[in-house]
Amino acid sequence: TNEPSTSQVEYGFTNSYGSFTTLNSTLATTHTEKITNLNNNTTYHFRVISKDSSSNIGQSQDFTFTTFRDVTPPVRSNGLPTGTLASSTLSVVVSLTTDEPSMCYYSNLPSTPFAQMSAVFTTTGDKNHSMNFSVQAGSSYFIYVRCRDTALNANTNDFPILFSVASKTVTQDVN
């Protein structure tokens, strides 16, 4: 702007708009507004609204932009459990997180394509995924996870969650 003023963006699918960014009441001549939670591959209309210290309101003409189509599968992280669990462990919660809402499936065999996985996490569809899993002492577990986001981008590689349960130790009294 040519004089210090506030910043706000009005935006929507048409030039009727319908949504606003949070008003930035800092008076400035350079303005930046972040718009979040937009749909992929969608055209949006927007205009900028500013108000100076005398409460004079100025607004831009209508502009448009188009968001990109999401082509990236979800990023998986924080797979649990890991390492060796106590021999008294009977069940565990197997979990992981993704960077975007996703559906996560698993297999006990590596390199299983996503489309062939039928075992789904009990809690999935958001960013946190988990399931209860029965285990027994002296066993190792190999769980290979693949996820698909809401834009149908599926992982093409395994996210391994590997852990074991310690063997029970048997002690005998020697008389």
Side-chain angles (χ1 to χ4, degrees):
T1 53
N2 63 353
E3 63 180 296
S5 58
T6 62
S7 307
Q8 189 170 38
V9 173
E10 186 176 18
Y11 64 98
F13 300 119
T14 68
N15 61 2
S16 296
Y17 309 109
S19 297
F20 289 90
T21 60
T22 302
L23 175 66
N24 181 346
S25 59
T26 302
L27 299 178
T29 56
T30 302
H31 308 274
T32 302
E33 288 292 307
K34 184 176 182 179
I35 303 173
T36 59
N37 299 318
L38 300 175
N39 296 331
N40 294 316
N41 201 29
T42 302
T43 298
Y44 286 89
H45 290 257
F46 75 98
R47 66 180 170 193
V48 179
I49 302 169
S50 297
K51 183 166 51 171
D52 66 15
S53 59
S54 299
S55 295
N56 297 310
I57 297 174
Q59 66 184 32
S60 71
Q61 66 186 38
D62 179 63
F63 293 100
T64 62
F65 66 90
T66 301
T67 56
F68 291 107
R69 180 180 174 276
D70 178 6
V71 295
T72 306
V75 176
R76 298 152 295 169
S77 60
N78 302 319
L80 293 172
T82 61
T84 302
L85 308 176
S87 62
S88 59
T89 305
L90 299 175
S91 70
V92 296
V93 174
V94 175
S95 65
L96 75 147
T97 58
T98 53
D99 67 332
E100 60 183 321
S102 306
M103 293 294 294
C104 292
Y105 291 75
Y106 68 95
S107 175
N108 295 351
L109 300 173
S111 302
T112 302
F114 180 84
Q116 294 176 10
M117 291 183 162
S118 59
V120 66
F121 276 72
T122 308
T123 301
T124 193
D126 199 11
K127 295 181 182 182
N128 298 305
H129 315 274
S130 64
M131 65 177 168
N132 292 321
F133 200 79
S134 296
V135 296
Q136 62 184 22
S139 297
S140 294
Y141 297 90
F142 305 88
I143 299 171
Y144 302 96
V145 181
R146 294 187 185 206
C147 302
R148 182 180 64 202
D149 64 16
T150 57
L152 306 181
N153 300 305
N155 298 118
T156 57
N157 63 337
D158 292 327
F159 181 79
I161 299 176
L162 313 172
F163 63 96
S164 61
V165 180
S167 297
K168 289 189 180 205
T169 55
V170 178
T171 58
Q172 289 183 316
D173 286 336
V174 178
N175 292 340

